[in-house]
């Protein structure tokens, strides 16, 4: 970076535009150099392709420190996307498949890409169709978490599938998942209604029983008075 910018006498143009907090001004290069000398700083060319070139009056070491700090901050803000590999055999069992599917979901949720591949060893290349079916199933099971960037393709003894993460909050739910959530919501609502009605019904039955008992007692009292 130290040699990335021209400073002072290295700037060989007729005039430059000096920018600062107070705005910008175009001056001859000799005048710009005198201004830098008077302020005890450097004349730093920050945009050589402009017409005229743009410069700043600043201590060159301070300028380099600011540039390095800015680049470090920009790098820290950048999301680092890694490519995670998932390896299958052409005859992967269900337990191993589910284990690797779980890891792939985690990778995609973290914002990483996934490169899944089936490795065909020796004569197992005869089962390449089986490997393709496995990778297509893998992609389908991950449709809520990632999108296919490259469909299964055979490269030597390996068949690759590339998946990229979907943006956070926009993962598309499968129809089966939506149906399941709807059923669960309906069951919870039904349970809530039944829970609310149970005390009310109990109260009605209790009041009816009390009224019947009171009516019976009143009838018995009237009959005793008649006697």
């Amino acid at each position: 970076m130290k040699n990335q910018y021209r400073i002072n006498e290295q700037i060989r143009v007729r005039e430059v535009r000096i920018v600062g907090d107070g705005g910008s001004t175009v001056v001859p290069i000799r005048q710009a150099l005198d201004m830098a000398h008077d302020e005890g700083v450097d004349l730093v060319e920050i945009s050589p392709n402009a017409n005229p070139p743009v410069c700043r009056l600043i201590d060159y070491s301070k300028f380099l420190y600011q540039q390095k700090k800015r680049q470090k901050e920009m790098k820290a803000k950048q999301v680092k996307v890694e490519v995670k590999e998932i390896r299958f055999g052409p005859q992967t069992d269900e337990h191993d498949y589910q284990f690797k599917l779980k890891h792939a979901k985690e990778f995609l949720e973290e914002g990483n890409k996934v490169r899944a591949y089936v490795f065909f060893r020796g004569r197992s290349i005869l089962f390449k169709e089986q490997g393709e079916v496995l990778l297509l199933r893998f992609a389908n099971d991950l449709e809520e978490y990632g999108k296919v960037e490259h469909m299964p393709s055979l490269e030597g003894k390996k068949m690759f599938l590339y998946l990229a993460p979907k943006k956070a909050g926009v993962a598309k739910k499968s129809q089966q998942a939506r149906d399941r959530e709807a059923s669960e919501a309906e069951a919870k609502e039904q349970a809530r209604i039944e829970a609310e009605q149970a005390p009310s019904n109990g109260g009605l039955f209790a009041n009816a029983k009390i009224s019947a008992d009171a009516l019976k007692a009143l009838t018995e009292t009237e009959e005793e008075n008649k006697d």
Side-chain angles (χ1 to χ4, degrees):
M1 183 179 290
K2 192 171 182 179
N3 299 321
Q4 184 176 348
Y5 301 92
R6 293 189 298 182
I7 63 171
N8 301 325
E9 282 75 12
Q10 295 176 354
I11 307 172
R12 298 181 180 181
V13 293
R14 189 178 67 176
E15 57 184 12
V16 295
R17 179 182 298 276
I18 298 178
V19 295
D21 296 335
S24 67
T25 181
V26 177
V27 298
I29 184 62
R30 189 68 259 170
Q31 182 180 343
L33 291 170
D34 290 342
M35 291 170 62
H37 181 267
D38 292 341
E39 295 184 21
V41 294
D42 297 298
L43 180 67
V44 182
E45 185 183 56
I46 60 175
S47 182
N49 296 325
N51 187 21
V54 179
C55 297
R56 284 184 63 187
L57 297 175
I58 187 173
D59 181 84
Y60 191 44
S61 298
K62 181 180 179 180
F63 173 76
L64 292 178
Y65 172 78
Q66 292 177 347
Q67 293 297 105
K68 187 175 181 180
K69 183 178 179 181
R70 186 176 294 111
Q71 290 182 4
K72 187 176 180 180
E73 291 174 349
M74 291 176 62
K75 186 176 180 180
K77 292 180 181 179
Q78 292 177 348
V79 178
K80 187 177 180 180
V81 178
E82 297 182 5
V83 179
K84 302 291 188 177
E85 284 196 344
I86 301 290
R87 173 176 171 170
F88 293 102
Q91 296 177 324
T92 300
D93 60 44
E94 184 64 22
H95 176 76
D96 191 30
Y97 174 84
Q98 293 297 332
F99 178 78
K100 293 179 178 180
L101 180 67
K102 178 183 177 182
H103 280 291
K105 289 177 181 179
E106 294 173 354
F107 293 150
L108 292 169
E109 286 178 333
E110 292 170 357
N112 297 307
K113 293 186 177 184
V114 171
R115 179 171 65 178
Y117 68 93
V118 179
F119 180 68
F120 300 98
R121 189 188 304 273
R123 297 186 63 185
S124 64
I125 193 68
L126 299 174
F127 300 98
K128 61 180 181 180
E129 290 80 7
Q130 188 172 340
E132 183 177 6
V133 170
L134 183 134
L135 290 177
L136 290 174
R137 176 194 174 189
F138 191 66
N140 184 67
D141 290 342
L142 292 170
E143 64 175 348
E144 296 181 19
Y145 306 89
K147 57 184 178 181
V148 176
E149 277 194 334
H150 195 286
M151 293 296 286
S153 62
L154 188 64
E155 300 177 20
K157 293 184 177 182
K158 297 179 181 179
M159 181 174 288
F160 291 96
L161 168 73
Y162 293 87
L163 297 169
K166 287 188 175 180
K167 292 183 179 180
V170 298
K172 184 179 178 182
K173 295 182 179 179
S174 64
Q175 185 62 46
Q176 183 179 1
R178 291 195 295 268
D179 292 342
R180 182 176 63 253
E181 291 179 355
S183 298
E184 290 175 355
E186 185 178 352
K188 288 180 180 179
E189 181 65 17
Q190 184 63 30
R192 184 186 65 81
I193 294 173
E194 291 176 358
E196 291 178 353
Q197 289 180 345
S200 301
N201 291 339
L204 290 173
F205 293 148
N207 292 336
K209 187 176 185 301
I210 292 173
S211 299
D213 291 343
L215 181 59
K216 181 179 180 182
L218 179 60
T219 303
E220 291 176 351
T221 302
E222 291 177 350
E223 290 178 352
E224 289 175 359
N225 290 336
K226 287 180 181 180
D227 294 340

